[in-house]
Amino acid sequence: MTLLRVEATGGRVLVQDLGRPGLAHLGVAPSGALDRGALALANRLVGNPDGLAGLEVVLGGLRFAPDRDLWFAVTGAWGSVRVAGREVGPYRAARVRAGESVELGAADRGLRYLVAVRGGIDEPPVLGSRSRDTLAGIGPEPVAAGRVLAVGLEPAASVPLLDDDAAYPPPTGAITLRLLAGPRADWLTDAALAALHEARWRVSASADRVGARLEGPALERRIAHELVSEPTVAGAIQVTGAGVPTVLLADRPVTGGYPVVAIVDPASLDRLAQVRPGQEVRFRHA
């Protein structure tokens, strides 16, 4: 068995796979990597199935060393990736020798690195997933310096040969997200609904795996009172009584009492996962 010794973490480091869907009726959110496409790509780069568990690293600072030779890949955010001090770069499979350290520098673009190792991170699954749910406290504990992580068995597939065309660093400017109609769109005034689609929003510092609060014009609600809690989905945009919209994400509560006035298209959620606080977000009709 291969073991990874975590030497430093920097920002928050979590074990994540593609989540535990289908349990909302039990009050359990799906969780999983916020940038699902980045995790799947990292796994493919090292010859893993898409859904094996990897590490989600906020802004960089992770340093780890395996006790055996190991293939790994880093996707999602864009920044310096070094093996024993040698630059290898993101978005490619790289080989680290036993005892050498892999280090992720501060991300230049994007917010969350996704790290896959050949064989996957082999933490004990909870309710069928190795993902950490930060709201409910389900799944593997956040990774701290000194932690030793087990690596699963190598898959039968070989490490594929890919060129640099696989790399697509996250944008640094405004991003556009596709928006679907929400079940409570009629709770906003016509002017507020137009503003939701036309205004330039910024992701606030109050953004995490539960949800991303948006800064911009207050959205006037046509109906002021609250409603009985209703089911939520990833991408649901709830609007508070003060007119503040929040996009709910993977670790969201499965029900909520604010009206869901719109839903970010699931195909756009990976892009939102890489948006930094202060970065501009715009919406357009799907």
Side-chain angles (χ1 to χ4, degrees):
M1 175 185 291
T2 301
L3 300 175
L4 300 182
R5 179 171 295 278
V6 178
E7 300 172 336
T9 56
R12 192 172 213 184
V13 179
L14 301 174
V15 177
Q16 296 290 348
D17 54 22
L18 294 181
R20 48 180 71 84
L23 298 177
H25 64 294
L26 299 177
V28 179
S31 298
L34 285 192
D35 190 339
R36 295 167 61 85
L39 176 61
L41 176 58
N43 273 319
R44 291 173 198 170
L45 287 169
V46 295
N48 287 341
D50 288 1
L52 290 195
L55 298 176
E56 183 179 87
V57 183
V58 176
L59 287 177
L62 174 68
R63 189 174 73 247
F64 65 88
D67 65 350
R68 299 184 184 183
D69 293 2
L70 184 70
W71 285 96
F72 76 97
V74 180
T75 59
W78 187 271
S80 173
V81 179
R82 290 185 169 90
V83 174
R86 305 183 307 273
E87 186 74 30
V88 298
Y91 284 81
R92 67 193 66 187
R95 186 82 165 170
V96 55
R97 302 297 179 184
E100 291 183 332
S101 292
V102 175
E103 185 171 8
L104 276 59
D108 299 318
R109 303 175 69 166
L111 183 62
R112 294 177 173 89
Y113 289 106
L114 276 300
V115 182
V117 297
R118 186 162 168 80
I121 301 297
D122 192 20
E123 287 288 288
V126 177
L127 297 176
S129 170
R130 293 178 171 85
S131 287
R132 177 67 177 179
D133 181 332
T134 58
L135 182 64
I138 297 172
E141 291 294 322
V143 177
R147 177 95 164 262
V148 176
L149 300 170
V151 176
L153 297 176
E154 289 200 6
S158 61
V159 175
L161 296 176
L162 297 176
D163 58 29
D164 291 344
D165 289 341
Y168 53 99
T172 56
I175 68 161
T176 300
L177 306 176
R178 290 161 53 91
L179 208 58
L180 305 170
R184 301 292 181 181
D186 59 344
W187 281 46
L188 292 183
T189 64
D190 291 343
L193 198 58
L196 176 64
H197 290 83
E198 297 169 3
R200 296 184 174 185
W201 301 93
R202 293 189 183 277
V203 173
S204 79
S206 299
D208 56 19
R209 288 182 47 84
V210 177
R213 185 173 297 170
L214 302 179
E215 297 175 339
L219 299 178
E220 184 182 1
R221 283 174 38 177
R222 189 191 309 272
I223 300 175
H225 66 79
E226 302 308 331
L227 44 70
V228 176
S229 287
E230 295 181 319
T232 64
V233 297
I237 298 180
Q238 291 188 324
V239 177
T240 67
V244 178
T246 296
V247 185
L248 300 183
L249 299 174
D251 291 354
R252 69 191 182 278
V254 297
T255 62
Y258 292 126
V260 174
V261 300
I263 299 169
V264 176
D265 187 332
S268 290
L269 286 176
D270 285 357
R271 304 191 76 202
L272 183 58
Q274 296 298 346
V275 176
R276 297 186 183 216
Q279 194 169 346
E280 189 174 302
V281 172
R282 302 174 187 175
F283 296 115
R284 68 176 177 86
H285 290 287

